[in-house]
């Protein structure tokens, strides 16, 4: 079975982060949950909700095949970034690498 760190590394936004940063994120993450063909994300949830508080464009996202989900609360993630400038910088650099 994959560890939580391995699952976080599979997330595009976290892919290039070092293990130390992924460990900090893992500490605020919910336990992984695997869904079958059912609702995964509804209004107000999803990756973008970690960074901005605006509604998702999609009303609903459903799993077509078994999908593992890790949830991070916006407030907990923002608090983590505020308390760890190094993590915030590593995440910013990861996004920069994706844009380049």
């Amino acid at each position: 079975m994959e560890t939580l760190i391995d699952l976080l590394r599979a997330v595009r936004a976290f892919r290039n982060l070092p293990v130390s940063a992924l460990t900090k994120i893992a500490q605020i993450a919910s336990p992984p949950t695997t869904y079958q063909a059912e609702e995964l994300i509804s209004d107000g949830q999803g990756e973008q909700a970690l960074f901005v508080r605006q509604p998702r464009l999609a009303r609903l996202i459903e799993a077509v095949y078994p999908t593992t989900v890790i949830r991070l609360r916006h407030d907990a993630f923002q608090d983590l970034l505020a308390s760890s400038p190094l993590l915030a910088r590593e995440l910013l650099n990861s996004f920069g690498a994706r844009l380049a």
Side-chain angles (χ1 to χ4, degrees):
M1 181 174 166
E2 295 175 296
T3 67
L4 184 52
I5 298 294
D6 293 331
L7 292 169
L8 286 169
R9 181 165 278 127
V11 176
R12 186 174 26 179
F14 303 146
R15 185 171 295 149
N16 297 319
L17 295 179
V19 172
S20 59
L22 293 171
T23 301
K24 289 180 180 182
I25 295 169
Q27 292 171 348
I28 64 165
S30 70
T33 304
T34 300
Y35 294 88
Q36 301 304 317
E38 59 186 277
E39 177 181 326
L40 289 181
I41 298 172
S42 58
D43 287 341
Q45 299 177 324
E47 182 180 302
Q48 75 182 20
L50 291 175
F51 303 101
V52 294
R53 284 202 181 267
Q54 43 185 149
R56 294 186 55 78
L57 295 175
R59 286 282 204 213
L60 172 71
I61 297 174
E62 294 186 59
V64 176
Y65 51 87
T67 303
T68 301
V69 174
I70 301 165
R71 295 185 190 273
L72 298 170
R73 284 187 13 259
H74 174 84
D75 294 339
F77 188 72
Q78 291 294 315
D79 289 346
L80 177 61
L81 293 178
S83 70
S84 180
L86 181 59
L87 171 63
R89 186 179 72 202
E90 289 168 340
L91 190 58
L92 183 60
N93 287 339
S94 177
F95 281 127
R98 282 175 50 194
L99 289 173

